[in-house]
Amino acid sequence: MRERRYWLVKSEPSSFSWDDLWALPKRITHWDGVRNYQARNLLRDEMKKGDLVFFYHSSADPAAIVGIAEVVREGYPDASALDPQDEHFDPKSDAANPAWFVVDLKATKKLPRALTLAELRQTPGLEKMTLLQKGSRLSVQPVSSGEWEIICELAETG
DNA sequence: GCCAACGTTGGC
DNA sequence: GCCAACGTTGGC
């Protein structure tokens, strides 16, 4: 077993929120619709069962980390890319050689309080966090174990 | 709603 | 392979 790694995924709550995930049977969803190669590589190759994931609300008021999920199934092809009826359909992808991948995420813990982007920016130790880099738009991104601990502690205080 | 930053596309 | 144009993301 490799050591557990940590991640962050973004979702716009107007399309799919933390509460939406929490309300699902088993609180599990396919993390589909990602159409960025860097993020795809993480979904396909790097995110492993048991890894933990911050759930982040983007384009929200306020933008914030709101919960923790766990990877419960590792990378497999994204069916939405193959479905012409789906808004994420990609005509360049095909079943024999899928371009896009998903993992399954299960909501495991709602944070005691939301951690806003503004608060994260003011927190020592998070200066290098991918989320906080200027122009960072990656919707699936790695979080270091140090960053993970700082953020979890922050959620328990204040 | 604005706009900066980024990724992708396509002409050359 | 370069780079301008375009579409998207996402904070403010």
Side-chain angles (χ1 to χ4, degrees), chain A residues 89-132:
Chain A
F89 175 63
D90 179 2
K92 298 189 295 299
S93 185
D94 65 86
N97 189 21
W100 305 113
F101 285 75
V102 300
V103 298
D104 285 359
L105 295 180
K106 178 186 176 79
T108 54
K109 186 187 178 193
K110 184 178 173 112
L111 290 182
R113 64 191 187 88
L115 299 172
T116 67
L117 185 61
E119 182 174 3
L120 295 172
R121 286 197 192 286
Q122 293 169 5
T123 303
L126 300 182
E127 294 84 359
K128 292 183 177 173
M129 195 177 175
T130 303
L131 181 71
L132 305 184

Side-chain angles (χ1 to χ4, degrees), chain A residues 51-105:
Chain A
D51 285 358
L52 297 180
V53 183
F54 283 134
F55 194 106
Y56 175 80
H57 279 167
S58 61
S59 296
D61 191 15
I65 295 174
V66 291
I68 293 174
E70 181 175 343
V71 178
V72 293
R73 182 175 172 191
E74 296 176 8
Y76 62 102
D78 183 345
S80 73
L82 306 174
D83 176 4
Q85 305 302 326
D86 195 284
E87 61 172 324
H88 297 296
F89 175 63
D90 179 2
K92 298 189 295 299
S93 185
D94 65 86
N97 189 21
W100 305 113
F101 285 75
V102 300
V103 298
D104 285 359
L105 295 180

Side-chain angles (χ1 to χ4, degrees), chain A residues 8-25:
Chain A
L8 178 147
V9 298
K10 298 179 183 175
S11 187
E12 298 195 18
S14 58
S15 55
F16 187 76
S17 72
W18 169 260
D19 287 337
D20 292 335
L21 176 56
W22 195 261
L24 290 178

